[in-house]
Amino acid sequence: MRYRTFTAIGGALALSACTTNGTPDTVASASSGPSATKGEAPYASTYKPYPGAATALVGATVFDGAGQRIDNGTVLFSEGKVVAVGGADLAIPAGYTRVDGTGKYVTPGIIDIHSHLGDYPTPSVEAHSDGNEATSPATPEVWAEHSVWPQDPGFTRALANGGITSLQILPGSANLFGGRTVTLKNVASRTVQGMKFPGAPNGLKMACGENPKRVYGGKGRAPSTRMGNFAVNRQTWFDAKAYDGKKRDLAKETLKGVLDGEILVHNHCYRADEMALVLDMAKEMGYKVTAFHHAVESYKIGDLLRESDVCSAIWADWYGFKMESYDGIPENGALLYQAGACVVIHSDDENGIQRLNQEAAKAQAAGKRAGIAIADAEVIRWITLNAAKAMGIDDQTGSLAPGKMADVVLWNANPLSVYARPEKVWVDGALLFDANDPKRRPVSDFELGQPGEGDVK
């Protein structure tokens, strides 16, 4: 969570809000579903795709999310999966609904790797501020999914305005160990279990730098310095490595999950020198950093990040709002791309999530001004396949490849244009948004009967 989201209310640290959605869902109960069986993880996914129809998108320019561009392309999907992607000569089987995409563009569903929707929902009031367990610098025992409010209208806005089909919800950044993340499909559901991306690994949100030392130093306790941050981090890891599991400890279970390679580390970190130290700490403790988030100085260590196979989840041009973000530059993404490192554009914002395509375009334009030309199809990868890779779901979504989930967006213009808007959005092959059909505009239960119901502006 960014610095600007912290607000002192009544002497306690509180956070401003984010957004959500909701419409009637088909989940029978929170505990029903094929994955809620004995012996499996608690709060298992009960997600079931909405019904869809076999569909053929024809005539559009296709960006497949993996760097390929197909002009006058054809995308086939059926029974929730991508069947084939090709040119105009691709045969369309009988029974497919034909959608004319002439003059339009097709991409995979957009993925936001860093969101707080549901944990900081709209309305943004203190009673909804459930994203930071700011009571201890190390709270790996908390799970972001236990704060998600499925009725947050922000989910609907992200679907309709941004083409968001999957997103990762993280706890906030007050703590060195913020807790577990959860990955969601962006569908209407009564329960968070009904939104949980099936099979997606948990993440662990960590934070370095100013936030933890400010929050806890301000309370007169450790850590109050960067060296204090690392001392608390290292001791917590050493304690976790010694955990024998005889008495259940939720915090150490999460950390053991990281050490066993089952939980992915998403580390909020701004400065390049500090990211390098975190990589050394990861080597010392025996875990891997999957992605640095808000990594405004990644451009200084692109080679190190490439060699360590660590993604950088970044904003296009948001920097300078606190000291550790002061040395950010708009060319960050382009320089990382040039260095061969993994680039992801993230939002960390209930409004920014509705414009990740424009954020990616801004990062592309900054590179072009610096003499680094990056093809549109490669830039789309920054908000699709690269995000999926860093979230551990790239074998299921993130690109238009046969067998993957049919998470698809039909745009009314090049998605890297400021004028582009999603015209249709499918999740697992189900048409969940159609700009030309108000009846397909999902409305949060919370919005019913209120001004702005179903608003997609």
Side-chain angles (χ1 to χ4, degrees):
M1 177 60 68
R2 295 184 240 176
Y3 175 81
R4 67 181 172 84
T5 60
F6 287 88
T7 309
I9 299 177
L13 189 73
L15 288 159
S16 62
C18 288
T19 42
T20 308
N21 94 343
T23 47
D25 69 28
T26 59
V27 178
S29 75
S31 60
S32 67
S35 35
T37 55
K38 186 177 180 180
E40 293 195 358
Y43 319 104
S45 171
T46 59
Y47 170 74
K48 294 178 181 177
Y50 281 80
T55 302
L57 294 177
V58 299
T61 300
V62 177
F63 296 137
D64 73 348
Q68 184 179 13
R69 170 179 178 145
I70 305 172
D71 293 315
N72 194 15
T74 301
V75 178
L76 304 178
F77 51 88
S78 177
E79 297 182 353
K81 303 292 184 185
V82 176
V83 173
V85 180
D89 57 346
L90 183 65
I92 301 175
Y96 276 61
T97 300
R98 190 182 182 97
V99 176
D100 184 8
T102 303
K104 301 171 186 175
Y105 288 74
V106 176
T107 69
I110 306 303
I111 300 172
D112 191 357
I113 194 175
H114 193 121
S115 175
H116 300 288
L117 292 184
D119 278 10
Y120 291 113
T122 302
S124 305
V125 296
E126 186 177 6
H128 277 169
S129 181
D130 290 319
N132 256 318
E133 184 58 37
T135 53
S136 168
T139 57
E141 68 271 21
V142 304
W143 296 17
E145 66 192 78
H146 294 150
S147 283
V148 170
W149 187 45
Q151 294 185 54
D152 182 347
F155 289 119
T156 296
R157 302 292 195 273
L159 178 79
N161 293 333
I164 299 292
T165 56
S166 299
L167 64 168
Q168 178 172 233
I169 311 300
L170 304 94
S173 54
N175 302 343
L176 295 167
F177 297 85
R180 293 198 193 196
T181 74
V182 64
T183 295
L184 305 178
K185 301 284 288 193
N186 193 14
V187 297
S189 174
R190 296 178 302 178
T191 66
V192 69
Q193 295 97 315
M195 302 174 73
K196 287 182 70 173
F197 194 109
N202 281 124
L204 170 64
K205 170 68 179 295
M206 297 186 67
C208 64
E210 293 180 13
N211 284 12
K213 74 189 188 81
R214 182 187 67 251
V215 171
Y216 294 100
K219 297 177 180 178
R221 57 179 296 191
S224 66
T225 62
R226 282 187 161 80
M227 59 186 174
N229 282 350
F230 273 81
V232 175
N233 273 329
R234 295 179 73 223
Q235 188 61 58
T236 304
W237 282 117
F238 282 129
D239 291 346
K241 290 165 77 74
Y243 176 55
D244 60 12
K246 291 180 179 177
K247 180 182 178 182
R248 290 198 66 178
D249 183 311
L250 296 179
K252 292 185 174 61
E253 285 181 7
T254 293
L255 299 176
K256 290 290 277 187
V258 173
L259 296 171
D260 291 342
E262 298 168 353
I263 295 177
L264 310 179
V265 170
H266 295 271
N267 205 135
H268 155 132
C269 216
Y270 289 77
R271 277 183 12 190
D273 61 312
E274 200 162 17
M275 286 187 262
L277 284 170
V278 168
L279 290 177
D280 275 353
M281 180 171 64
K283 289 178 184 175
E284 178 188 17
M285 299 301 166
Y287 70 90
K288 182 181 186 308
V289 177
T290 297
F292 285 114
H293 292 227
H294 315 336
V296 300
E297 290 191 12
S298 277
Y299 66 94
K300 296 180 179 179
I301 54 169
D303 55 339
L304 185 58
L305 296 169
R306 181 193 65 237
E307 292 162 6
S308 301
D309 189 28
V310 179
C311 290
S312 296
I314 59 175
W315 298 289
D317 56 2
W318 207 66
Y319 60 91
F321 48 89
K322 56 181 174 178
M323 196 65 217
E324 64 186 359
S325 73
Y326 202 74
D327 219 2
I329 58 174
E331 296 83 3
N332 193 13
L335 290 169
L336 282 167
Y337 174 81
Q338 189 179 53
C342 171
V343 182
V344 180
I345 304 296
H346 69 6
S347 77
D348 187 24
D349 187 85
E350 69 274 26
N351 295 312
I353 193 172
Q354 301 174 32
R355 299 186 294 273
L356 277 184
N357 57 314
Q358 294 179 19
E359 295 301 302
K362 286 195 290 186
Q364 178 193 36
K368 185 177 182 180
R369 288 193 294 271
I372 305 171
I374 307 171
D376 290 355
E378 283 293 332
V379 173
I380 293 299
R381 186 200 295 259
W382 297 355
I383 51 176
T384 56
L385 189 57
N386 280 6
K389 171 191 171 186
M391 294 159 64
I393 55 173
D394 54 316
D395 61 336
Q396 299 184 74
T397 190
S399 63
L400 299 175
K404 284 196 173 183
M405 294 169 167
D407 298 337
V408 184
V409 182
L410 177 66
W411 302 83
N412 65 357
N414 187 326
L416 299 177
S417 162
V418 72
Y419 299 109
R421 291 184 63 87
E423 185 169 301
K424 291 181 171 58
V425 183
W426 290 264
V427 179
D428 282 306
L431 181 60
L432 296 189
F433 174 72
D434 184 343
N436 300 314
D437 182 1
K439 293 182 179 178
R440 286 194 181 275
R441 193 166 295 165
V443 178
S444 163
D445 291 349
F446 183 80
E447 293 179 291
L448 289 172
Q450 301 206 38
E453 174 184 313
D455 189 5
V456 294
K457 289 192 293 295

